[in-house]
Amino acid sequence: MNWYLTVLKEHYADFSGRARRTEYWMFVLFNMIISIAFELIGYLLGIGWISWIYSLAVLIPGLAVAVRRLHDTGRSGWWLLICLIPLIGAIWCLVLMCLDSKPESNKWGANPKA
């Protein structure tokens, strides 16, 4: 949960720097859990808009952590647009997010594992 909170508190709209795989995937995991919880609460209470508000609130930090994850693999954040290609784009984006970080420093900063 600390990884999720770190992204929200310290890197809300931070598109510069690098993010480790752990930071990205923990954010995705907790984001999915919270989204499902809000969907269930909204369904049970009859207020479906509650999940939409949450989704809008985490849109910017979600994009920011994905861009920083791509920076960690040595790619520009513009590679995130590859997800717009139907089917193949989503698979390729998943592969990029699973790749290990570049061990050396790159133009986006030092290796966060170091």
Side-chain angles (χ1 to χ4, degrees):
M1 186 72 173
N2 288 335
W3 291 105
Y4 177 79
L5 294 175
T6 299
V7 169
L8 290 181
K9 289 179 181 177
E10 298 174 19
H11 302 288
Y12 188 85
D14 183 13
F15 289 87
S16 61
R18 296 169 68 166
R20 296 177 60 182
R21 275 187 296 193
T22 307
E23 181 180 355
Y24 176 76
W25 287 110
M26 286 297 138
F27 178 81
V28 169
L29 174 69
F30 282 102
N31 190 31
M32 298 271 295
I33 291 169
I34 294 169
S35 293
I36 291 169
F38 276 127
E39 280 290 329
L40 289 173
I41 291 169
Y43 176 75
L44 293 174
L45 299 177
I47 48 174
W49 52 266
I50 194 165
S51 63
W52 284 93
I53 291 174
Y54 173 74
S55 297
L56 285 174
V58 295
L59 176 66
I60 299 297
L63 290 173
V65 75
V67 167
R68 288 187 290 113
R69 177 71 202 122
L70 288 170
H71 289 171
D72 195 41
T73 64
R75 289 170 181 77
S76 168
W78 290 104
W79 276 85
L80 195 57
L81 295 176
I82 203 165
C83 294
L84 298 175
I85 300 171
L87 188 63
I88 294 173
I91 294 169
W92 185 247
C93 194
L94 177 68
V95 168
L96 291 177
M97 296 302 176
C98 291
L99 291 176
D100 197 12
S101 61
K102 298 291 180 186
E104 66 277 349
S105 294
N106 60 24
K107 64 182 176 179
W108 294 285
N111 187 351
K113 287 184 180 179

